[in-house]
Amino acid sequence: LLTGTILAHEMMHGWMRLQGFRTLSPDVEEGICQVIAHWWLISQIKSSKKVTSTSSSSAAGTSKKGTGPKFDKKLGEFFKHQIETDASPVYGDGFRAGQHAVQKYGLGRTLDHIRMTGRFPY
């Protein structure tokens, strides 16, 4: 889960470069990348809920202690909480500003605004 979260974040950096985004302030660039990483993590948590709810307790996951869908869900929730409560001005505050913008305007409009102005819409 952590590796996937990091890859989603880093792939967003690459996507922005390929799309011609100019150099952004660290809080804007890292913030929107954290938003995408957060979304990816939520998708994984939701899919682990589906596995847990559709599997019997004996068939869910593996027999090793600390593995399986319930463990994955708890670990995913932990990583999600870490993103949401990060105290860093760049990653944490950037994420919260990006999340607010995406919730208010949607991802497409937020990215368009970032591309045009270099800032989050408020």
Side-chain angles (χ1 to χ4, degrees):
L1 286 170
L2 183 56
T3 301
T5 303
I6 293 167
L7 286 172
H9 175 105
E10 296 304 330
M11 288 176 71
M12 186 62 181
H13 282 295
W15 181 85
M16 288 191 302
R17 292 294 166 273
L18 292 171
Q19 297 301 312
F21 279 68
R22 65 180 182 213
T23 302
L24 301 170
S25 65
D27 61 317
V28 172
E29 183 159 349
E30 298 301 342
I32 198 65
C33 290
Q34 285 294 83
V35 168
I36 298 305
H38 188 260
W39 277 15
W40 182 87
L41 198 49
I42 289 170
S43 76
Q44 298 307 298
I45 293 166
K46 286 181 180 178
S47 68
S48 84
K49 283 182 185 178
K50 289 177 188 170
V51 169
T52 302
S53 66
T54 59
S55 300
S56 71
S57 60
S58 63
T62 66
S63 62
K64 291 182 182 177
K65 186 175 182 177
T67 62
K70 287 183 182 180
F71 177 80
D72 289 348
K73 180 184 177 291
K74 284 187 126 178
L75 187 60
E77 291 289 349
F78 172 77
F79 291 144
K80 181 175 161 284
H81 176 76
Q82 291 298 105
I83 292 171
E84 294 166 349
T85 61
D86 189 326
S88 159
V90 172
Y91 290 88
D93 293 345
F95 164 74
R96 286 181 286 279
Q99 184 78 335
H100 174 76
V102 169
Q103 288 173 343
K104 187 171 182 178
Y105 301 106
L107 181 61
R109 287 179 64 195
T110 298
L111 289 171
D112 288 343
H113 190 273
I114 291 170
R115 185 192 321 262
M116 289 187 317
T117 66
R119 292 177 281 132
F120 289 121
Y122 293 101

